[in-house]
Amino acid sequence: MSSVTNPVLVSFQKPQISSGFLSPRRVSTSYALLKSRTLQLEANNSSLVFSPLVKAFGVRHRRFPVVVAALAADADDSEIEISNGSVLSSKSFGEKFPALVTGFFFFMWYFLNVIFNILNKKVYNYFPYPYFVSVVHLLVGVVYCLVSWGLALPRRAPMNKELLLLLTPVAFCHALGHVMSNVSFAAVAVSFTHTIKALEPFFNASASQFVLGQHIPLSLWLSLAPVVFGVSMASLTELSFNWTGFISAMISNIAFTYRSLYSKKAMTGMDSTNVYAYISVIALAFCIPPAILIEGPQLMEFGFRNAIAKVGLIKFLSDLFWIGMFYHLYNQLATNTLERVAPLTHAVGNVLKRVFVIGFSIVVFGNKISTQTGIGTAIAIAGVAIYSVIKANIEEQKRKAATAPAS
């Protein structure tokens, strides 16, 4: 009998059925690092015996250790370590605790969105130039995407004339909606702009029904009634109301509605990260000319000078950089969250995000709202939540019907 102290690397193939026999598993090759204080070699049959493992599992037959190890590694593409009779799985943290990871994605999505809205509004308090700020938002995001492409994280997808023609209308609507949102943010309270933007599902349903000719169920139309009523009620007594903020938010709703319509026509095999990067680049090209024409003369004459005099050059540049970074990151996190959860969960989460933004903006900026505005906002948000739940259920039923095998 000889003693071997070095670990032995053994390759094995996991079974197709999990140890609980509840669900099928794909066949994959994994490796088990089998450690033993004493490796016994039998002369008569040359079989391997791992003393601690045998004692731990109560296995007497000396050809079983590798089989036991394979069954213990009941996880996809994971490595197991058997030390002193203990089986340790090296599953990633995300595989062990998927709910915690998804919760973290939601938290970061909300956190980045709230921080963006608050910092964005603070910038407008001393630098009221929404067209230029919109350019900054997209410019920082484009630089971020270019650096990511340079590092191949991800690899840049090739672009051709056909893809450019498909993505250009999407990017134009994205640019228009983004600029108009910022014009509204600069003109009225953040909470009021988000209340107006709660009407976006109404515009989506109207465009689907009357532009695309799709049938919208009566239940969806009924769920939109409290949205329209709540927004109207909130607008009548909003203390920060002005027509620039109201009309800009409405134009933003229309632009984002058509962005959704064109996006469906522009579905390609390109991954979502590359699509969003290309849309940001094209949208930036659309945003620069109006910023120069509308705000350029004022910026050069006194806009930059006044802002730097109020907060200093370093803070001014830092604020512009971070609002652009938070804008890009929260949009990316929203996409990542959508990939991890069901459409219904994401829809409800999007509604709750708007509630968080409205609530935090009121607290941070101390915006005074009337009782009627508060009630109207609550009714509108509740209507959006009902609409989101109904729409997600309808989409899920369609998906199940499409994937169901024909009888």
Side-chain angles (χ1 to χ4, degrees):
M1 181 181 297
S2 61
S3 178
V4 181
T5 58
N6 293 329
V8 180
L9 193 64
V10 180
S11 174
F12 65 87
Q13 194 172 51
K14 292 189 294 185
Q16 287 181 294
I17 305 300
S18 68
S19 57
F21 300 99
L22 296 177
S23 59
R25 296 221 177 178
R26 60 187 176 83
V27 178
S28 61
T29 303
S30 182
Y31 293 94
L33 188 61
L34 303 179
K35 296 179 180 178
S36 177
R37 288 174 294 183
T38 304
L39 180 63
Q40 300 175 345
L41 300 177
E42 285 194 356
N44 56 349
N45 56 13
S46 298
S47 64
L48 300 179
V49 178
F50 299 83
S51 299
L53 184 64
V54 173
K55 294 178 181 178
F57 287 92
V59 179
R60 296 184 178 180
H61 198 290
R62 296 185 176 184
R63 289 190 174 93
F64 281 2
V66 174
V67 177
V68 174
L71 292 175
D74 196 17
D76 290 329
D77 295 326
S78 62
E79 184 182 82
I80 64 165
E81 181 180 340
I82 300 180
S83 179
N84 297 331
S86 299
V87 179
L88 305 176
S89 175
S90 63
K91 277 186 177 180
S92 67
F93 182 85
E95 292 173 331
K96 291 180 179 178
F97 308 102
L100 289 180
V101 175
T102 301
F104 175 77
F105 271 80
F106 269 102
F107 170 78
M108 291 303 299
W109 175 24
Y110 287 15
F111 175 77
L112 293 174
N113 191 269
V114 168
I115 295 299
F116 163 75
N117 278 276
I118 291 175
L119 183 58
N120 199 44
K121 183 61 177 179
K122 286 185 175 181
V123 168
Y124 290 133
N125 289 338
Y126 67 84
F127 188 70
Y129 299 96
Y131 288 87
F132 179 79
V133 172
S134 298
V135 170
V136 172
H137 290 165
L138 293 171
L139 178 61
V140 174
V142 167
V143 172
Y144 180 93
C145 293
L146 292 177
V147 172
S148 299
W149 277 338
L151 298 174
L153 298 170
R155 294 186 180 276
R156 185 181 68 84
M159 173 61 67
N160 54 43
K161 183 178 180 180
E162 289 74 17
L163 286 175
L164 181 63
L165 292 176
L166 286 173
L167 293 178
T168 297
V170 181
F172 174 78
C173 293
H174 179 71
L176 179 60
H178 180 54
V179 171
M180 289 296 102
S181 294
N182 281 300
V183 171
S184 182
F185 285 137
V188 296
V190 173
S191 57
F192 182 58
T193 298
H194 277 277
T195 301
I196 300 300
K197 288 174 70 65
L199 281 173
E200 191 174 325
F202 173 80
F203 286 97
N204 284 333
S206 299
S208 298
Q209 178 88 43
F210 303 111
V211 177
L212 298 181
Q214 298 177 355
H215 173 68
I216 302 298
L218 179 61
S219 58
L220 275 182
W221 285 116
L222 292 177
S223 69
L224 290 171
V227 179
V228 177
F229 175 76
V231 171
S232 301
M233 183 178 177
S235 301
L236 290 175
T237 55
E238 170 59 39
L239 300 179
S240 68
F241 179 89
N242 65 58
W243 285 107
T244 299
F246 179 82
I247 294 175
S248 298
M250 295 294 283
I251 294 175
S252 174
N253 284 334
I254 297 173
F256 285 141
T257 295
Y258 276 90
R259 181 186 65 178
S260 299
L261 298 182
Y262 285 120
S263 295
K264 293 179 180 179
K265 297 180 180 180
M267 289 296 181
T268 66
M270 190 183 301
D271 64 281
S272 60
T273 302
N274 274 290
V275 169
Y276 182 70
Y278 278 120
I279 288 176
S280 297
V281 173
I282 302 171
L284 177 61
F286 281 120
C287 288
I288 291 176
I292 295 174
L293 294 174
I294 297 174
E295 296 177 344
Q298 297 177 356
L299 288 171
M300 298 305 297
E301 184 179 355
F302 54 81
F304 292 124
R305 184 177 67 251
N306 290 349
I308 294 172
K310 290 178 180 178
V311 300
L313 178 61
I314 300 300
K315 178 171 174 53
F316 176 56
L317 294 178
S318 175
D319 285 351
L320 291 180
F321 169 77
W322 283 114
I323 57 175
M325 184 59 68
F326 282 128
Y327 172 76
H328 182 82
L329 291 178
Y330 97 74
N331 278 287
Q332 189 64 58
L333 262 294
T335 302
N336 294 339
T337 305
L338 177 60
E339 293 175 348
R340 295 187 63 86
V341 299
L344 175 58
T345 304
H346 191 268
V348 174
N350 197 36
V351 175
L352 292 177
K353 179 213 69 176
R354 200 174 297 279
V355 174
F356 270 82
V357 172
I358 292 174
F360 273 98
S361 66
I362 292 175
V363 172
V364 172
F365 296 108
N367 299 330
K368 295 182 178 180
I369 61 173
S370 66
T371 302
Q372 182 173 325
T373 297
I375 295 174
T377 300
I379 293 174
I381 295 299
V384 174
I386 296 172
Y387 168 86
S388 300
V389 171
I390 295 175
K391 187 173 187 298
N393 284 329
I394 292 175
E395 294 297 327
E396 182 65 17
Q397 291 175 3
K398 289 182 179 179
R399 186 191 67 80
K400 289 182 179 180
T403 56
S407 57

